[in-house]
Amino acid sequence: MSTGSGAASAPAPEPHDTLSALDTPARKNSMFSSLRIRNYRLFFLGQVVSNTGTWMQRIAQDWLVLTLTGSSAAVGITTALQFLPMLLFGLYGGVLVDRLRKRPTLLVTQTAMALTSLALAALTLTGQVQVWHIYVAAFALGLATVVDNPARQSFVTELVGPGQLQNAVSLNSANFQSARLVGPAVAGLLITGVGTGWAFLLNGLSFIAPLAGLLLMRSRELHTVERAPRGKGQLREGLRYVTGRPELIWPIVLVGFIGTFAFNFPVYLSAFADDVFHGGAGVYSMFNTLMAVGSVSGALLAARRGTARLRLLIVAALAFGGLEILAAASPELWMFALIMVPLGLVSMTVNVTTNTSLQMSTDPAMRGRVMALYMMVFLGGSPVGAPIVGWVTDTYGARVGFAAGGAVAVAAAAVIGLILARAGGLRLSVGWHGGHPRVRFVPREHQEALASAV
């Protein structure tokens, strides 16, 4: 365990080295190697408790809105309001995170999120809750997330150092998705048994765990990461930094399309549970739980894999969109539920691969702004996409809405895959191998040599 400054992150690759640099395998780690580090272990355990509460609140919030309004569009509006602050202020949050110390910042944001949940619990348990209360709570939670998300993403490097970054990011994702196995199930029991207010209350109390973990960390064992000094033009500087690097800008564009149109699971799954299969909160919770099974598997595979390849991101995004289209066409409940497992796996592969490749390709002083832009695009797209897909779902049905989201993901992955291949000096090669057709990307010089030989 390092008690010194820690190694600085590797500098970002040059644009012409886009794919070759990111396709270099990282050092192999054991699946849980980051947990040997005490500070990260405290962070991880605190998140186990808090993430479980977060998933409980997500399910309870979506179901409460659907119960009060009977509208998938209203669920979409709630999701939009929760992520609207990220869209409006996400980049400014990244500038703040690059300037501030991460641990005190997280203490403030986590406290604010706890108070928001407790206020919503009080309104619900007293029978005073109205839809606009939920809208306000969602927006307030989104404001805290503007700073909390990039701070948590960047803080991982201070906890484990660059050598364990891939493993720690993957374990964080496994942590969040493992809580998804428990949270929705508990939320379903609470909703049907004692009401949604108790889910909000338990989520508010769950923030005690991460706050305690942050307070118990040893400052001397944190890896020192350069902070950006105060100055003018830092927002523009961050945007120029990202747009000048294909290995940063195109993955962000890809997850922007996916996050806006294909990741709106509160809208899609609640509509399938209620309108298509005529189930209740238990069926909705089951869909989320099955997706979590796949997501945990995807995160653990990423932790073991030890690489962050952009070609894997493209393949996973294509598979993600294809599975959404397949799920939309599923005629039976059991078939739809079964597809949730691989859908969760490939969605987590997209998430972890993008997150890790961006962090490993970014200079430390820019990491807060880059991760804020990533989160702004990925999560901030929901204010645009959620009402749209909610309207499409209400107007044309859940199957059309879900299939349309999958089609957008497939199209975006195909186009951006070709752009990245061109930026990396690759060309599409179509041929035969062993009597079977084979489609792959090869270096442009290699294909030209083959052509001249023929």
Side-chain angles (χ1 to χ4, degrees):
M1 182 185 300
S2 172
T3 58
S5 61
S9 297
E14 293 299 321
H16 63 272
D17 292 332
T18 300
L19 294 185
S20 60
L22 289 177
D23 284 349
T24 302
R27 185 182 66 183
K28 287 285 186 178
N29 294 315
S30 66
M31 188 174 288
F32 303 102
S33 57
S34 296
L35 291 176
R36 300 191 190 105
I37 301 171
R38 179 183 181 275
N39 282 344
Y40 179 73
R41 194 161 58 246
L42 288 169
F43 179 82
F44 184 90
L45 293 174
Q47 292 300 308
V48 167
V49 178
S50 181
N51 286 337
T52 302
T54 296
W55 277 112
M56 290 169 56
Q57 173 148 331
R58 282 191 177 189
I59 301 300
Q61 175 181 280
D62 296 339
W63 200 256
L64 180 59
V65 171
L66 194 62
T67 301
L68 292 173
T69 65
S71 170
S72 294
V75 177
I77 291 170
T78 306
T79 303
L81 287 171
Q82 185 163 331
F83 297 119
L84 180 62
M86 182 66 71
L87 180 64
L88 297 176
F89 311 117
L91 289 177
Y92 295 99
V95 171
L96 283 175
V97 167
D98 278 338
R99 293 175 181 174
L100 300 173
R101 294 169 56 204
K102 308 301 184 294
R103 186 161 59 141
T105 301
L106 288 171
L107 286 169
V108 173
T109 58
Q110 296 278 296
T111 300
M113 295 164 79
L115 293 175
T116 301
S117 298
L118 292 173
L120 187 57
L123 288 168
T124 307
L125 290 172
T126 58
Q128 303 299 314
V129 69
Q130 298 179 35
V131 174
W132 73 267
H133 292 145
I134 304 172
Y135 288 166
V136 171
F139 188 78
L141 188 64
L143 286 175
T145 303
V146 166
V147 176
D148 185 79
N149 258 334
R152 278 190 295 108
Q153 301 282 347
S154 304
F155 191 48
V156 174
T157 303
E158 296 188 27
L159 292 171
V160 302
Q164 294 283 356
L165 182 60
Q166 162 81 11
N167 183 261
V169 168
S170 301
L171 289 182
N172 283 349
S173 299
N175 184 332
F176 186 70
Q177 299 302 327
S178 296
R180 192 175 181 180
L181 293 172
V182 180
V186 175
L189 292 174
L190 289 172
I191 292 169
T192 56
V194 294
T196 55
W198 291 97
F200 300 142
L201 176 62
L202 291 178
N203 179 49
L205 296 176
S206 73
F207 283 94
I208 294 173
L211 289 171
L214 289 167
L215 292 171
L216 289 171
M217 288 178 185
R218 296 170 182 163
S219 299
R220 67 181 182 276
E221 294 177 5
L222 294 173
H223 291 251
T224 300
V225 173
E226 178 186 359
R227 283 190 284 158
R230 286 181 175 272
K232 295 182 179 180
Q234 290 181 321
L235 183 58
R236 292 191 299 273
E237 181 186 12
L239 290 173
R240 284 196 301 268
Y241 180 84
V242 171
T243 55
R245 290 166 169 76
E247 73 279 2
L248 298 180
I249 185 60
W250 289 115
I252 290 175
V253 171
L254 174 59
V255 299
F257 278 103
I258 292 176
T260 300
F261 298 105
F263 257 77
N264 288 284
F265 293 114
V267 177
Y268 295 136
L269 299 187
S270 62
F272 266 86
D274 193 40
D275 299 332
V276 177
F277 299 118
H278 308 293
V283 173
Y284 179 46
S285 297
M286 179 188 70
F287 290 158
N288 281 277
T289 300
L290 289 171
M291 275 199 71
V293 171
S295 297
V296 171
S297 301
L300 291 177
L301 286 173
R304 188 175 184 85
R305 187 164 51 243
T307 58
R309 297 174 180 262
L310 280 185
R311 66 187 67 183
L312 175 62
L313 170 61
I314 299 300
V315 171
L318 288 169
F320 175 75
L323 285 170
E324 284 200 342
I325 295 171
L326 182 62
S330 300
E332 302 291 340
L333 172 62
W334 68 266
M335 188 181 300
F336 183 90
L338 189 63
I339 294 173
M340 293 299 101
V341 177
L343 185 62
L345 189 150
V346 294
S347 70
M348 184 50 54
T349 302
V350 170
N351 192 341
V352 172
T353 305
T354 306
N355 189 316
T356 308
S357 65
L358 291 177
Q359 292 211 48
M360 294 181 70
S361 303
T362 303
D363 294 329
M366 288 285 185
R367 189 167 287 134
R369 277 164 283 183
V370 172
M371 297 312 295
L373 178 61
Y374 161 60
M375 298 306 296
M376 183 192 77
V377 171
F378 185 45
L379 299 180
S382 291
V384 177
I388 294 174
V389 301
W391 176 82
V392 171
T393 299
D394 281 342
T395 305
Y396 300 102
R399 295 189 186 278
V400 173
F402 207 12
V408 170
V410 169
V415 171
I416 291 173
L418 291 173
I419 292 173
L420 285 171
R422 185 175 181 84
L426 303 178
R427 281 187 175 181
L428 186 67
S429 173
V430 181
W432 290 84
H433 179 74
H436 301 283
R438 181 169 67 174
V439 180
R440 59 176 180 159
F441 286 105
V442 298
R444 188 173 286 116
E445 295 81 1
H446 176 65
Q447 190 172 24
E448 290 173 352
L450 288 176
S452 61
V454 174

